[in-house]
Every structure is written in structure tokens, then in C-alpha cells.
Amino acid sequence: MSMKPLEFDRRYGELDVVVAAFAGQEPDSPETDTVPLALQAYLRHTWHTRPWALSVAEQQLREYARNPPGRLRQRLGEFYSVPDLGLSEPQTQGWLSKTADHIKRSIESGEVPPPTTPRTHWEWHARFGELGQFLGGWFSQDMPDEFADHDAAVRDYRETVDPQLTARLVGEIHELLALGLEDHDYAVGVSELGMEVEPPAQFTVERWLRTVAERLATTMPDYGK
């Protein structure tokens, strides 16, 4: 029988988040002291959103490295299966311990990484979750078959999504624009977040995002009045 969700989260929930941050990234060698790009992204995002989770991650990584699941737990299915990192089993245990060491040093130093442009696919989606839902759900390659144009897709989002999520989206767009990127870099960002079509011909990516935020903001109630 598989492990119940609550028990899974207690044992492996944050471990799973750390490992997910390495999706599509090369794992570092257990012998190096360099903090890998994927772990830098995890530390940066977690320090700014859930700093309490860092100690949980360190504990779960170290516990798994010390006590990998035995045959009984594997037979019962009550364990976390670490995705293939391209490492042997002993190397994986060493990688888990080394990653826990990196997190421990980050906690003990107390140095919060400054916010910056996301560096990995995971970090883009962790930081801009609702924007990823919007772009991936309404502006995939199927958008021209589903909507007459970009404005129609924006209207559909506005009319079908909870206003609180719309407010979150507007905030995330403003946060992205605050990075002050070149338009090429904005194009990379929206692509990472799931956008598979170009903005309207008359718009740069930056200008289109500003226009979307303005249009969505005008539909939200002004409680200050």
C-alpha cells in the first residue's frame, strides 16, 4: 500500500521539493563544495517565501541519506523514490548528504540571497505560479484554435477565474516587470512559463504584459472607494 499523503509530507515533502528543483539540471558531484545552480534557485526562493522549510529540507535529506528505504518498505511502497539523477545509489546518498550540508550552511550563515531573475525552469514556476497557469493554460500552441485573438483569451481568463487569482496574476506580472529585463529576456521568461505563441504583432513582450495587467486590473473591484 502506498503511503498516506500526510505521512509522506512529514517524511519526504520538502525533500521532494528540493529534488524537483533539480529537474532538467545536472546534479553536482558529491565531492564539490560549489552550490549548484538548482540549489541556489531553491535556496533563493525558499528564503523569501518559506524560510522555515529550510530546516525541514535539511532534516529530511539527511535522514533519507542515513536510512534509505529497505526491502520491506520498498515492497509495501511506503517510501520516497528519488528520481534518477544519473548517479549510482551510493552516489545518490552522498549527493543527498552534500545537499543537506549546503542547506545547513545557508541556514547557519543567515545570509538571505537577494532576489534576482529566475535561473531555472523550476524557479520561474515557483516564483510566478499564477502567471505560469495563465500563459500555459491560455497561450499554449492551441490558443489560435480556441480563441479569436489574444484579447479573447484574456477575457476568457478574466471571466472564468476567481478574482483573487486574477489579483495574484496582476501582482506577479508587475513583479516580473520590476526585474527590468531586456525584451529578449522577457521572451525567454514567458516561454519558460508556458507561452507558446507570439504576442500581438504591434507589441513587444514587455508592452503586452503591461497591457494585460492594466486590462485585468480594471476589472477588479476597488475597495478603497
Side-chain angles (χ1 to χ4, degrees), residues 181-207:
L181 307 178
E182 297 293 331
D183 202 63
H184 168 74
D185 296 319
Y186 279 122
V188 171
V190 296
S191 176
E192 288 281 2
L193 290 167
M195 188 171 184
E196 297 177 332
V197 296
E198 297 290 331
Q202 69 271 32
F203 289 97
T204 64
V205 174
E206 179 183 2
R207 184 57 200 160

Side-chain angles (χ1 to χ4, degrees), residues 199-215:
Q202 69 271 32
F203 289 97
T204 64
V205 174
E206 179 183 2
R207 184 57 200 160
W208 179 72
L209 287 170
R210 290 188 186 280
T211 300
V212 169
E214 290 167 2
R215 290 178 179 174

Side-chain angles (χ1 to χ4, degrees), residues 59-96:
Q59 183 272 328
Q60 290 184 354
L61 285 158
R62 203 173 300 284
E63 182 62 25
Y64 195 101
R66 290 172 177 165
N67 299 293
R71 293 180 180 178
L72 176 60
R73 285 166 64 195
Q74 291 186 28
R75 187 166 67 249
L76 294 174
E78 295 184 351
F79 74 104
Y80 174 73
S81 179
V82 178
D84 185 7
L85 298 170
L87 303 171
S88 66
E89 184 173 341
Q91 287 177 321
T92 297
Q93 303 309 114
W95 177 84
L96 290 167

Side-chain angles (χ1 to χ4, degrees), residues 13-72:
E14 199 60 26
L15 162 62
D16 188 50
V17 176
V18 174
V19 173
F22 280 83
Q25 301 286 321
E26 289 292 328
D28 61 321
S29 168
E31 287 75 29
T32 183
D33 282 328
T34 302
V35 180
L37 184 66
L39 186 58
Q40 291 177 35
Y42 169 81
L43 290 171
R44 183 165 47 245
H45 181 71
T46 307
W47 265 114
H48 285 276
T49 59
R50 303 179 303 126
W52 54 266
L54 293 168
S55 62
V56 178
E58 189 270 342
Q59 183 272 328
Q60 290 184 354
L61 285 158
R62 203 173 300 284
E63 182 62 25
Y64 195 101
R66 290 172 177 165
N67 299 293
R71 293 180 180 178
L72 176 60

